[in-house]
Amino acid sequence: MVFERWATTRGVENSSVKQYRTLLTRTIEPFFGADGVRDITTAQIEGWVEWMIHHRGYKPSTLRFRFGILMSVFDWALEHGLADTNPCRPVKLPASRSRTHRDQRGEVHVPSTETVLSIIAVAPERYRCMLCVMAGCGLRLGETMGLGRDRISFADRLITVDRQVACDGDTGSGRYGRMRLRHVKWREDGEQGRRVPLPDVVAIALRRHLRDHGTWGDEELLFPNATGTGLLYPYYWYGRIWRPALAAADVDYFKPHSLRHFYAASLLSQGVPVSEVSAWLGHTSVSFTERYYAGLMPDAPDRARLAIDGALRADRLEAPGRRGGRGVRMTG
């Protein structure tokens, strides 16, 4: 099958292959059935887009992502002589890219400080520190699960993030689902990870956790499963830790990834340069961070006004000819 070859022969991460297969079974096969790449027409692609909008109710960002995947499949098939044309090319999506970016920003949920503190307070004691690391250092859930003692430098006040726990190990059947500890996504084995500042409040929580719970395994993981005998599974995290903590704190459900948004919002609202925030979050580009978190910098206009007011003070802006002095001569 062309889709399977495209998904598995390009050297992408197992987690991406798993995501592609899920997309195939949930979004592509239900509409196109057994049609081959040479059978699908532009009209069918347009019908598929309408189906995703009206029957599946996908948001513009989700729609564009799924459309982009199928576009890539057809490009790959065309390059390898498996298709004669790419029927996605003539199709115009109803939402512009800029609209999609605005929608993505609108989907970012930033919990309040009071909400974060209340969730941490009622979480199981063994995993309270996990929430501190996610909210205080911006680590993703899988990265926090993969945090080892040797990745923490209390002296330098830094955490190195270069690996994660992922549910994408090969099970031997050609499908992915076995838990494994691997390098972080978009990074190669042995590549240096990002270094994240370690705030004092998180350092205190980490020291307390190490004192009370120690580490597990050769990798000295701080957050193994509840029995301390293996990796922490996501389904256990969501079912036994995250959802009960939200319920106990009387907070409506939101994804734990929002703790990462809390971290970004806290830094940006204090005027930390977006380039530094981007590096600490591990984003592939500063432009992505700017686009994604543009709405999380509410005081940016105030900073801009203060900067210009300082440079062009009112007492300097007199009517032409009323004061002497020479300007800067621009030559070109």
Side-chain angles (χ1 to χ4, degrees):
M1 187 181 201
V2 172
F3 190 95
E4 180 71 12
R5 290 176 61 186
W6 168 84
T8 59
T9 62
R10 298 175 302 123
V12 299
E13 294 284 353
N14 291 349
S15 57
S16 295
V17 174
K18 182 181 178 182
Q19 182 182 34
Y20 296 152
R21 285 172 172 159
T22 300
L23 187 150
L24 174 67
T25 57
R26 294 182 179 177
T27 307
I28 297 177
E29 287 182 338
F31 184 86
F32 295 105
D35 288 348
V37 292
R38 295 184 187 274
D39 303 322
I40 297 176
T41 65
T42 294
Q44 285 179 290
I45 298 294
E46 291 173 339
W48 177 58
V49 170
E50 291 296 315
W51 176 77
M52 287 193 290
I53 295 172
H54 298 296
H55 292 273
R56 288 299 177 88
Y58 288 150
K59 297 176 182 178
S61 57
T62 305
L63 174 68
R64 185 172 290 278
F65 174 74
R66 279 155 174 71
F67 180 84
I69 292 295
L70 196 58
M71 173 83 79
S72 177
V73 172
F74 275 105
D75 279 342
W76 182 88
L78 192 61
E79 179 184 349
H80 289 78
L82 302 173
D84 302 319
T85 185
N86 186 338
C88 295
R89 289 290 171 189
V91 176
K92 301 297 183 183
L93 297 183
S96 66
R97 188 174 296 275
S98 60
R99 169 65 185 278
T100 300
H101 292 162
R102 289 197 298 272
D103 289 337
Q104 286 175 330
R105 290 198 296 268
E107 295 167 10
V108 173
H109 172 71
V110 181
S112 67
T113 301
E114 292 73 19
T115 296
V116 172
L117 290 174
S118 64
I119 293 172
I120 292 174
V122 298
E125 192 276 331
R126 183 182 186 87
Y127 295 107
R128 237 171 251 168
C129 185
M130 277 192 74
L131 300 176
C132 291
V133 172
M134 294 167 70
C137 296
L139 272 64
R140 301 175 177 90
L141 176 59
E143 293 170 344
T144 311
M145 291 177 176
L147 182 63
R149 174 63 184 88
D150 62 335
R151 264 59 173 182
I152 303 169
S153 175
F154 291 108
D156 296 331
R157 300 170 72 186
L158 292 168
I159 290 178
T160 298
V161 185
D162 61 351
R163 64 189 182 193
Q164 68 183 62
V165 171
C167 193
D168 66 353
D170 192 343
T171 60
S173 64
R175 299 290 176 177
Y176 297 105
R178 181 177 57 81
M179 295 292 294
R180 65 174 180 140
L181 182 66
R182 64 164 173 82
H183 61 285
V184 293
K185 196 171 185 178
W186 313 124
R187 300 292 185 272
E188 300 294 335
D189 283 317
E191 183 178 346
Q192 184 177 6
R194 68 186 191 274
R195 305 187 80 190
V196 180
L198 176 60
D200 289 342
V201 64
V202 181
I204 292 171
L206 285 169
R207 288 185 184 278
R208 183 183 300 118
H209 179 87
L210 287 168
R211 180 198 67 198
D212 296 341
H213 302 286
T215 61
W216 170 78
D218 295 337
E219 303 291 350
E220 296 184 300
L221 297 185
L222 273 71
F223 308 113
N225 59 24
T227 59
T229 57
L231 298 176
L232 178 60
Y233 276 69
Y235 73 82
Y236 183 92
W237 159 265
Y238 282 100
R240 298 293 187 89
I241 301 170
W242 183 246
R243 291 181 184 276
L246 294 179
D250 195 23
V251 173
D252 291 337
Y253 181 82
F254 62 85
K255 296 179 181 179
H257 197 79
S258 291
L259 297 179
R260 183 169 158 86
H261 297 327
F262 170 83
Y263 173 78
S266 299
L267 297 183
L268 293 171
S269 66
Q270 294 298 316
V272 177
V274 67
S275 58
E276 296 180 5
V277 176
S278 181
W280 296 333
L281 288 171
H283 286 165
T284 54
S285 68
V286 175
S287 62
F288 175 85
T289 311
E290 291 175 331
R291 184 174 70 241
Y292 203 66
Y293 291 115
L296 303 185
M297 294 180 276
D299 61 338
D302 288 335
R303 294 202 304 272
R305 283 188 284 269
L306 288 172
I308 298 303
D309 284 341
L312 302 176
R313 295 198 310 269
D315 62 336
R316 293 182 177 181
L317 294 178
E318 299 179 5
R322 291 191 56 186
R323 61 180 297 172
R326 297 179 179 178
V328 179
R329 184 179 181 183
M330 304 296 290
T331 60

